[in-house]
Amino acid sequence: MAELQQDARRRIELRGRRFPQPQQTRIITVANQKGGVGKTTTTVNLAAALAQSGLNVLVLDNDPQGNASTALGVEHRAGTPSIYEVLVEGAPIADAVQQSPDVENLWCLPATIDLSGAEIELVSMVARETRLRNALDAYLEWRVQNGQAPIDYVFVDCPPSLGLLTVNAFVVGREVLIPIQCEYYALEGLSQLLKTIQLIQAHLNPELHVSTILLTMYDARTNLAQQVAGEVRTHFPERTLRTTVPRSVRISEAPSYGQTVMTYDSGSSGALAYLEAARELAERGADGLGDGAPGVDAQPALAAVNGHDGAGAPNGEQGHIQPDESHDDRIRMNEPAMAATQEEQ
């Protein structure tokens, strides 16, 4: 009953709503090296929701699986001009970008199976980390010069890894959106992701910052989902969206029809959740919360996830052990907690 009431409220609030336009193009990389957390689903549905609300949106499918291209209904068979030609051969994005047939103002740079070999081919190339950024900057300028409407949002879908494709996505992006599945394993991988973002900040893209965290596959009936959500909101209160995306059969069904859930079943709970998340994302950008104001640096967030503050002191009851610690270090770290437990008993 509570879910039905929430969906009814969302329908009333969001029907026909026009979202605010950002002052400049927001380039958002959707990343998480753990697979199955909803990166592609989040990318295509947020993009479709924003486009349906009157904004111009471009999706860069940087995943060799090409699932974002499938969901947006664009052609991505082998031999189709794609992001592979842009990265490896230096082709302009304008020659490969396609418009989504289902949503006006939504474009996609598709990914084909050729992209699976790009990781190896990029290794020996000059400026391999900045190739996608240079191509996107040239495309955005090309649109303005040719009298086309400027792009408001660019979403970059990443593969579930931290290789060169993901590095290119981090360099092209100015913001990072992290979808987190409401399970413990998803929390565990967050520490490594924040370390990678910190390295990119230091050496390749100082503008990069984690602006948004979205909780996905949320099931309010389970204690685990509530605990994970509480943990994330405690450590990242400014960056975590109020909206959570529930588990939804409609969200899973939509790609089999070559659509996003926004066009497949716009009245479903999943579509309404993504529409509200898109509104929140747009309003945060209009209010300046997406430009790095709250916590540009990943170091405090990294310390929080690891359960330590900046001075190395414990910051929470469930601190994570650093992956490079020896077995003896782990034992020494646990000794005070073990002693306290024995004393309490």
Side-chain angles (χ1 to χ4, degrees):
M1 183 61 70
E3 292 178 1
L4 290 173
Q5 290 175 345
Q6 185 180 51
D7 288 349
R9 176 188 60 80
R10 284 172 171 168
R11 287 190 189 95
I12 295 171
E13 289 183 0
L14 300 173
R15 187 182 301 277
R17 181 76 177 264
R18 308 288 286 187
F19 296 162
Q21 188 175 18
Q23 294 180 353
Q24 58 185 8
T25 303
R26 292 181 67 185
I27 305 173
I28 303 174
T29 299
V30 183
N32 193 329
Q33 82 272 19
K34 185 184 182 304
V37 299
K39 290 186 297 295
T40 300
T41 301
T42 295
T43 300
V44 297
N45 286 303
L46 286 179
L50 290 166
Q52 286 180 340
S53 302
L55 300 174
N56 297 314
V57 185
L58 170 66
V59 174
L60 305 182
D61 190 354
N62 202 32
D63 186 347
Q65 297 175 88
N67 292 335
S69 305
T70 299
L72 295 177
V74 301
E75 184 62 57
H76 63 105
R77 289 180 295 184
T80 303
S82 67
I83 197 170
Y84 171 82
E85 284 76 18
V86 173
L87 282 171
V88 177
E89 300 175 6
I93 290 179
D95 291 349
V97 73
Q98 301 180 40
Q99 185 164 10
S100 173
D102 299 313
V103 184
E104 192 178 359
N105 305 329
L106 178 57
W107 292 267
C108 176
L109 177 62
T112 63
I113 192 63
D114 297 333
L115 190 61
S116 57
E119 200 94 50
I120 298 172
E121 295 180 62
L122 284 170
V123 170
S124 59
M125 290 188 175
V126 177
R128 60 192 180 187
E129 299 93 351
T130 60
R131 296 179 73 85
L132 187 58
R133 178 167 185 151
N134 294 337
L136 179 61
D137 289 345
Y139 174 70
L140 296 177
E141 187 177 346
W142 174 86
R143 284 184 66 95
V144 174
Q145 291 175 351
N146 284 269
Q148 298 186 23
I151 296 292
D152 297 308
Y153 283 86
V154 177
F155 288 93
V156 188
D157 186 31
C158 294
S161 68
L162 295 176
L164 273 175
L165 290 178
T166 303
V167 170
N168 262 274
F170 281 145
V171 173
V172 74
R174 277 57 163 181
E175 306 175 38
V176 180
L177 187 154
I178 305 177
I180 298 182
Q181 184 182 6
C182 292
E183 293 187 4
Y184 176 73
Y185 285 148
L187 266 183
E188 237 185 4
L190 187 57
S191 174
Q192 185 59 47
L193 178 62
L194 292 173
K195 283 183 179 178
T196 303
I197 292 172
Q198 188 180 11
L199 288 173
I200 299 293
Q201 284 177 331
H203 300 287
L204 294 170
N205 184 7
E207 298 176 76
L208 188 68
H209 63 280
V210 179
S211 66
T212 311
I213 294 176
L214 177 64
L215 297 167
T216 62
M217 304 181 197
Y218 181 78
D219 188 348
R221 298 171 299 177
T222 64
N223 289 333
L224 177 61
Q226 295 179 21
Q227 289 169 0
V228 171
E231 190 83 5
V232 174
R233 293 188 192 282
T234 298
H235 291 314
F236 308 98
E238 297 295 328
R239 288 176 254 188
T240 306
L241 296 182
R242 296 186 304 273
T243 308
T244 56
V245 179
R247 288 189 178 274
S248 170
V249 175
R250 292 301 193 198
I251 291 177
S252 303
E253 285 177 352
S256 64
Y257 293 88
Q259 298 183 51
T260 65
V261 74
M262 307 306 301
T263 56
Y264 176 66
D265 187 353
S266 60
S268 65
S269 59
L272 292 170
Y274 272 117
L275 187 58
E276 186 166 34
R279 178 186 68 172
E280 197 173 345
L281 182 71
E283 289 177 349
R284 281 167 166 249
D287 294 339
L289 296 179
D291 61 1
V296 175
D297 193 2
Q299 184 60 39
L302 180 60
V305 172
N306 286 329
H308 295 74
D309 59 20
N315 189 31
E317 297 177 0
Q318 298 179 355
H320 299 299
I321 298 172
Q322 296 282 1
D324 56 350
E325 288 170 347
S326 67
H327 179 67
D328 293 339
D329 291 334
R330 297 182 187 188
I331 293 176
R332 284 195 295 272
M333 283 180 65
N334 289 329
E335 279 177 357
M338 292 167 61
T341 303
Q342 291 171 358
E343 182 177 353
E344 185 178 341
Q345 290 175 347

